[in-house]
Amino acid sequence: MSIAGDLIRGHTEAIILARLMQQDSYGYEIGKAVSQKSGGKLELKEATLYTAFRRLEQGGFVTSYWGSEASGARRRYYAITDAGRAEYHRLLEEWQDTKTIMDKLLRAEAIL
């Protein structure tokens, strides 16, 4: 069973920033890491990733640069900025608040 896109929509930037808090990365690598960490339950489509990268870059939360691999392939890497680190912490807090509220609303005893 995969995670419905509607549940994740709006949190893609937080997922990307969380990965970039660890190290600079490129789109395919981030998508692969998300799939692996979620046990294959979450797949971020390439279009979704690059749209999010564009928004993050326009917001000043990430910068990008071209890197070369030993194979000669060029990849566009993304690096988090200081503003991106602050945004990550804000989004993480927002997610934790949302999760707490949803946990309360979805518990059967809370509804009764």
Side-chain angles (χ1 to χ4, degrees):
M1 181 173 128
S2 64
I3 298 171
D6 288 347
L7 291 174
I8 297 302
R9 197 168 292 120
H11 301 288
T12 305
E13 285 89 354
I15 293 168
I16 291 170
L17 291 173
R19 176 67 183 185
L20 294 177
M21 289 285 285
Q22 299 169 27
Q23 66 185 39
D24 293 2
S25 193
Y26 55 95
Y28 176 78
E29 184 177 52
I30 291 174
K32 186 175 162 186
V34 166
S35 179
Q36 287 175 340
K37 280 191 151 188
S38 69
K41 291 184 178 183
L42 177 59
E43 301 277 333
L44 292 179
K45 294 180 181 171
E46 191 173 315
T48 301
L49 277 171
Y50 288 101
T51 299
F53 283 133
R54 195 168 28 259
R55 281 193 304 266
L56 288 167
E57 199 161 20
Q58 288 172 348
F61 303 124
V62 301
T63 58
S64 63
Y65 60 92
W66 290 100
S68 296
E69 301 299 312
S71 65
R74 285 187 61 193
R75 292 190 171 120
R76 188 174 188 133
Y77 282 82
Y78 295 88
I80 194 165
T81 63
D82 288 339
R85 284 182 186 81
E87 179 69 357
Y88 163 75
H89 290 293
R90 187 191 72 75
L91 291 172
L92 180 61
E93 185 175 324
E94 182 180 277
W95 168 255
Q96 290 168 337
D97 289 345
T98 301
K99 184 181 175 308
T100 298
I101 291 167
M102 291 303 295
D103 285 344
K104 288 177 184 177
L105 292 173
L106 295 176
R107 283 194 197 106
E109 67 272 11
I111 295 171
L112 300 175

